[in-house]
Amino acid sequence: MTHSSIESPPQSESNEIRGSLYEEELKKFNWSLILLEIIIFGIGIWNLASATGVQDKSLGLYKNQALWFGVGACLTVIILLLHYSILSRLAYFIYFTNLILLSAVLFMGRSSLGAKRWLGIGALRIQPSEFMKLSVVICLAKYFESDQTIGGYGIKDLVLPSLLVALPSILIMLQPDLGTALIILLTFISMMIFIRIQPKTLLTIAICAAIALPAAYKFGLKPYQRQRLISFLNPGSDPKGSGYNSIQSMIAVGSGQLFGKGYKKGTQSQLNFLPEHHTDFIFSVFSEEHGFIGCIILMSFYLIFMLNGLSVAYQSHDKFGVLLALGVMTIFFWHIFINMGMVMGLLPIVGVPLPFMSYGGSSLVTSILGVAILTNIANKKFMF
């Protein structure tokens, strides 16, 4: 029996049409951020294998890092199957759940190197403060998406978002973790640049910040944190104490010269002069082994990554998507900027990891989730 022009096409033909549509959508899919993520992570895992090659032959930290990347990849697939607008509906739930986890760290968290930052679930350890960075961005994007303030934001309008940032920042400072708290505060400030704030409000905030900084330095920082700032200005004032990390890092970066000493041939890391060379100072290891040329190549990948992320924000058609993309990108920017400045002696040492390069499961998964969210926003037109 033949089909007339008004009848539906045969099942096989319908499947072919559907398959061609999916193939066309797949061709339009923007993979750029995920590809850049894989490239930078590939460089990072290769560098981590060198950084931990001497003292970590049995533990294999780079293998653990690869496993965490696999976890992040699975979460990426789940996020890409959804529409990012679901984050708007779940924003406050995500925020307060993470806030509860942060509070739990203070009472039942695991300690390491004098800090209590991790929650243990069997052999698994997670760091809620890392995930809090994304939670704050999602929450702020939701708040400013829903708010209908006319004529620019005043002081009263910024009280609630300021509290949303202050609560987790204080809990993180109590761990203590100055670096992560600083990232959250800088991300908040960066997002404020992209909303309309009244000029007198900006002036008031600037005056309050100028008054609060001395008090924050004296009462908000622990003695060793204040000493780090002093050592930043003059590392030689305590070369065997608070200035040791900065001095050894600058030696490692400088000794790489133009082409570096070669893979697994960096003396500062291989001979363990450089502390925490698999986490905060991983860029020092890379600089020593691959020199100025290697650093330029790595920084170029980060620059392309940043430009692609900003392009996602620029091309988004809704307020929540724009603010969410900008917030995620500012997290990446401040991590890269502070970490590289820190290891080169241009900024104080505050313990900020380098995305996709530094060892750390929670940090890596958070970065991967950030890329997944950006990719979701970039491809919202082609979701099916």
Side-chain angles (χ1 to χ4, degrees), residues 137-180:
V137 165
I138 294 169
C139 189
L140 290 175
K142 170 64 176 180
Y143 175 83
F144 289 114
E145 174 203 30
S146 305
D147 194 77
Q148 302 297 325
T149 299
I150 299 174
Y153 290 90
I155 289 293
K156 292 182 180 179
D157 303 313
L158 296 177
V159 170
L160 180 56
S162 297
L163 286 174
L164 292 173
V165 172
L167 284 174
S169 298
I170 291 171
L171 290 173
I172 292 169
M173 285 288 290
L174 292 174
Q175 292 182 357
D177 186 354
L178 176 61
T180 303

Side-chain angles (χ1 to χ4, degrees), residues 251-379:
I251 290 173
V253 172
S255 63
Q257 299 185 23
L258 188 60
F259 296 105
K261 296 178 179 178
Y263 187 63
K264 292 189 176 182
K265 295 181 180 179
T267 53
Q268 291 299 108
S269 58
Q270 299 299 321
L271 298 178
N272 288 327
F273 287 110
L274 184 64
E276 302 300 322
H277 52 267
H278 62 299
T279 53
D280 297 342
F281 293 95
I282 195 69
F283 185 66
S284 303
V285 177
F286 187 85
S287 300
E288 184 180 26
E289 295 186 355
H290 306 288
F292 179 76
I293 300 299
C295 290
I296 290 296
I297 293 172
L298 178 61
M299 292 171 73
S300 296
F301 281 124
Y302 275 122
L303 177 60
I304 297 170
F305 176 84
M306 292 297 302
L307 292 175
N308 272 271
L310 291 174
S311 177
V312 171
Y314 178 76
Q315 295 176 16
S316 182
H317 299 300
D318 63 290
K319 189 176 181 181
F320 178 74
V322 171
L323 290 172
L324 182 59
L326 286 171
V328 172
M329 286 314 301
T330 53
I331 292 175
F332 280 115
F333 170 77
W334 287 116
H335 268 278
I336 296 166
F337 179 80
I338 293 176
N339 181 275
M340 290 188 175
M342 182 180 75
V343 302
M344 290 187 284
L346 301 176
L347 292 172
I349 295 172
V350 291
V352 172
L354 187 60
F356 309 115
M357 296 283 290
S358 295
Y359 176 77
S362 297
S363 173
L364 178 61
V365 171
T366 300
S367 296
I368 294 172
L369 289 176
V371 172
I373 291 171
L374 290 168
T375 303
N376 193 312
I377 297 171
N379 293 285

Side-chain angles (χ1 to χ4, degrees), residues 61 90 178 182 246 282 329-330 334 351 375 380 383-384:
L61 293 183
L90 297 175
L178 176 61
L182 182 63
S246 180
I282 195 69
M329 286 314 301
T330 53
W334 287 116
T375 303
K380 72 183 184 72
M383 290 292 169
F384 54 87

